[in-house]
Amino acid sequence: MQKTILIPGGAGYIGSHTAYLMQKLGYKIIILDKFIHNQKFDHNWATVIKADFADKNILEQIFTENNIEAVMHFAAFIEVGESVKKPKDFYENNVIKTLNLLDTMLKYNVKKFVFSSSCAVYGNPIKLPLDENHPTNPISPYGKNKLIVEFALQDYFNAYNLQYVSLRYFNAAGALPTIGLGEQHNPETHIIPLILRAIKNKKIFKIFGSNYNTPDKTCIRDYIHVLDIAQAHVLALKYLENTARSNIFNLGTGHGYSVKEMVEHAQKICKQELLIENCDARAGDVDILVANYNKAKENLGWEPKFSSLDNILQSALEWENRIK
Ligand code: UDP
């Protein structure tokens, strides 16, 4: 029988790619999304409910009318800087509403949950690459939100047997332009779309910080293609179905690129020069974040396959050219 997956945040960047892959594999998809980015989502392969994922009536209706196998939860405020300025909104949306969602799941005896977590739970790295045993000491409200939910999940698993996989994403990037999926944040704050737009529109790209403790003095991040992240969700659900366990996994490539390296690569791919300005560092950015993904490899059989920098930038460029 076709299994039904509820995906709060399924019209967002990572959620939409995952929802697409899940339905390709035969799952029935219900997306519950408020469209906070006013993003376009005109795909008919999912049932789309436009509502807040904390709307109790809607949730009750979804769980009553459908036999939900699992929930994959992507709906969250994601901007680290904003979380520092508006922690109340972030705790409300990312923590309280998520706990409500878990409670409704328990009420309807739905006990499989895949959670979008983040490498922001680690804070300043003590040892690189980061593995899942690295101390968690988040520096932003956003990172704390994610860690608090992970703690709740541990307790819910122990007390109520709500099984979960928490996936700690490093830097999601790239797109599936031929399917009509890609990054549509409003406002856009992420490095790759901003570089590509600056090149195209001959505008200045701001490098945030040039005094980091890295070889070229700009921040180093681990960029992972969204399709690889989506694939990890498929495997996470299999893990929940095949084991009675819960777990936490990093999703990254194990290789980092600096902001300057990203700029250089993008210029090569676009065959155009980029105007840059060196600006102050952004609050909350640490020098280097690079994942050790061995645990996901061993337990899920997951490995990045689409995350070469060329593929990430090419797919993002094609997407940018389509959405204009
Ligand atoms: N960055 C930058 N200029 C920009 C946007 C981002 O220099 O206009 C840098 C940012 O400081 C960080 C890296 O690019 O070191 C990745 O930032 P992004 O916002 O894409 O992802 P985050 O790491 O915040 O999730």
Side-chain angles (χ1 to χ4, degrees), residues 176-192:
L176 284 183
T178 51
I179 311 298
L181 293 174
E183 211 161 350
Q184 298 185 64
H185 300 117
N186 187 14
E188 187 52 76
T189 58
H190 292 103
I191 182 171
I192 293 177

Side-chain angles (χ1 to χ4, degrees), residues 213-241:
N213 190 15
T214 62
D216 68 19
K217 305 281 177 210
T218 64
C219 281
I220 292 179
R221 294 290 177 271
D222 185 340
Y223 296 90
I224 175 92
H225 196 287
V226 267
L227 185 53
D228 280 324
I229 298 185
Q231 187 66 50
H233 286 75
V234 174
L235 297 169
L237 182 59
K238 289 216 173 96
Y239 180 90
L240 292 177
E241 288 172 342

Side-chain angles (χ1 to χ4, degrees), residues 276-309:
I276 56 167
E277 184 186 331
N278 290 309
C279 299
D280 289 343
R282 211 170 50 173
D285 273 344
V286 301
D287 302 280
I288 305 178
L289 290 171
V290 174
N292 174 333
Y293 68 86
N294 284 344
K295 193 176 168 195
K297 188 175 174 185
E298 278 160 25
N299 288 269
L300 301 179
W302 177 84
E303 266 190 290
K305 293 195 177 111
F306 307 98
S307 295
S308 70
L309 200 49

